[in-house]
Amino acid sequence: MAATGLRRRLERWMRPRHAEALPVRIDRQRIYVLPTPFGGFLIALLATMAAGALNYNNNPALLLCLLLGGATLASLLWTQLQLSGLEVRAVRGEPVPAGRSMPLHVHVGAPPGRERRGLRVDCEDAVAAPLSLDETGGETTLALPTQRRGWMPAPRIRISSTRPLGLARAWAWVRPDLRLLVHPAPEAHGPPLPLGAGEDAQARLHPAGDDLHHLREWRQGDARRAIAWKTSARRDALVVREFERPQGADVVLDWAALGGLGHEARIRRLARWVDIAERDGVRSLLRVPGHAPLGPDRGAHHRQACLRALALLPDGP
């Protein structure tokens, strides 16, 4: 723990120390190079050999030490060149519910004319991912843990390499001036979506409806309990029952109607209902404090707008 804390304090002193706008070009002034454990062992071994060769005036051994030392220095320089000239062009995160891992896409470009191998990308809380580049660049994706809803600053991203010989490790930090949106975690087990009302009310297919609508052929993913076994036996093929449930065209998801719940519990329930409404193709109207009503509408754009409004609600008392 003490070593980890010391390492993180040292990393805070490394460049860059402040957020920066993308794209960011990695030049030699922000690349750090240190020997790997194997490289450190080799350097100590060469130092010992050189001391012995000088003590015993053994010129062949001294020449061998100088040759190996030159190769080691060339390896350090070539490791640094693996990163020099790279350009972090874009960083993009896909909103996810709090508690899940956010896919963080890192797009990196490189000037042509130099082959780069062994590149890896990571950040403080994500597992490192390999980065492969072609003539125009490349992209890799990190799984970034999330904890709470709302805006989350983009983490410091590290690009590193130990090629070509694994004797040294070169790395550079990039701190994007970017915020990532985390949606609220929907309620895991809650009441069903409220029924809508209005002249456009109609019956919609629902796996747990009240009235049988029709029978259809079995498809992958259908629940076992929905299979009509007697009818399937007569037809010699699996068929399933589909039900219908009356639903209103517009469902009102009102913050004020959930007065018996706590602040965060209301947000999680409304997030759950937004997801259910989108899944069932129901038009919904969302009302939350401090925000104009959203909808009635449906579709991915409407769902994103509703979840964004819920995610950015201020913390409760």
Side-chain angles (χ1 to χ4, degrees):
M1 294 295 292
T4 302
L6 177 61
R7 178 173 58 86
R8 296 202 169 185
R9 283 195 293 272
L10 290 175
E11 289 176 352
R12 281 197 288 268
W13 283 96
M14 296 181 178
R15 296 179 179 178
R17 301 188 182 96
H18 305 286
E20 51 193 347
L22 299 179
V24 171
R25 183 180 176 84
I26 299 177
D27 53 25
R28 61 182 177 83
Q29 295 181 349
R30 58 192 297 163
I31 298 177
Y32 298 89
V33 183
L34 282 177
T36 61
F38 176 65
F41 169 76
L42 181 61
I43 293 174
L45 180 62
L46 291 178
T48 304
M49 289 178 59
L54 290 173
N55 187 44
Y56 292 100
N57 197 21
N58 189 330
N59 291 333
L62 184 60
L63 179 60
L64 177 62
C65 289
L66 293 177
L67 291 176
L68 293 177
T72 303
L73 291 177
S75 174
L76 298 180
L77 176 62
W78 193 251
T79 303
Q80 187 261 353
L81 292 177
Q82 297 290 315
L83 272 61
S84 181
L86 293 180
E87 185 179 68
V88 179
R89 295 173 176 168
V91 175
R92 178 173 55 86
E94 299 178 7
V96 295
R100 295 186 184 177
S101 295
M102 172 184 293
L104 186 67
H105 305 283
V106 181
H107 184 71
V108 179
R114 184 188 306 167
E115 187 176 7
R116 302 169 193 267
R117 296 178 178 177
L119 295 175
R120 298 181 68 80
V121 179
D122 69 324
C123 59
E124 294 178 355
D125 300 322
V127 178
L131 172 64
S132 299
L133 301 177
D134 55 20
E135 295 180 355
T136 59
E139 182 176 293
T140 188
T141 302
L142 301 175
L144 183 65
T146 62
Q147 295 181 350
R148 64 187 307 275
R149 64 177 176 85
W151 291 117
M152 180 178 69
R156 287 202 312 169
I157 297 171
R158 178 171 55 189
I159 303 178
S160 62
S161 176
T162 59
R163 296 294 183 91
L165 300 179
L167 299 179
R169 175 184 174 84
W171 74 95
W173 292 99
V174 176
R175 180 176 289 180
D177 187 10
L178 181 69
R179 294 188 303 173
L180 307 172
L181 181 63
V182 180
H183 288 165
E187 188 178 26
H189 305 285
L193 187 69
L195 296 180
E199 296 179 354
D200 296 333
Q202 55 183 318
R204 298 178 183 277
L205 295 179
H206 195 281
D210 304 320
D211 302 321
L212 179 64
H213 183 267
H214 69 284
L215 297 173
R216 62 167 173 81
E217 294 183 357
W218 179 85
R219 293 196 293 261
Q220 186 72 27
D222 286 335
R224 184 182 180 86
R225 63 178 180 276
I227 298 177
W229 293 106
K230 292 183 179 179
T231 307
S232 299
R234 291 195 298 270
R235 297 186 181 183
D236 197 21
L238 289 179
V239 295
V240 297
R241 296 183 291 267
E242 280 201 331
F243 299 90
E244 63 181 11
R245 170 180 288 181
Q247 294 184 345
D250 300 337
V251 174
V252 179
L253 308 178
D254 196 347
W255 173 275
L258 301 177
L261 298 177
H263 186 81
E264 292 298 325
R266 290 192 200 187
I267 295 176
R268 290 195 295 271
R269 178 161 299 179
L270 290 174
R272 168 187 167 85
W273 283 348
V274 167
D275 285 340
I276 294 177
E278 173 61 21
R279 183 196 65 191
D280 294 347
V282 179
R283 297 205 322 164
S284 62
L285 171 68
L286 178 66
R287 293 194 182 116
V288 292
H291 199 286
L294 294 170
D297 201 351
R298 62 174 172 235
H301 179 75
H302 177 64
R303 174 179 175 272
Q304 292 293 331
C306 292
L307 293 178
R308 177 188 176 91
L310 292 172
L312 299 182
L313 283 174
D315 293 336

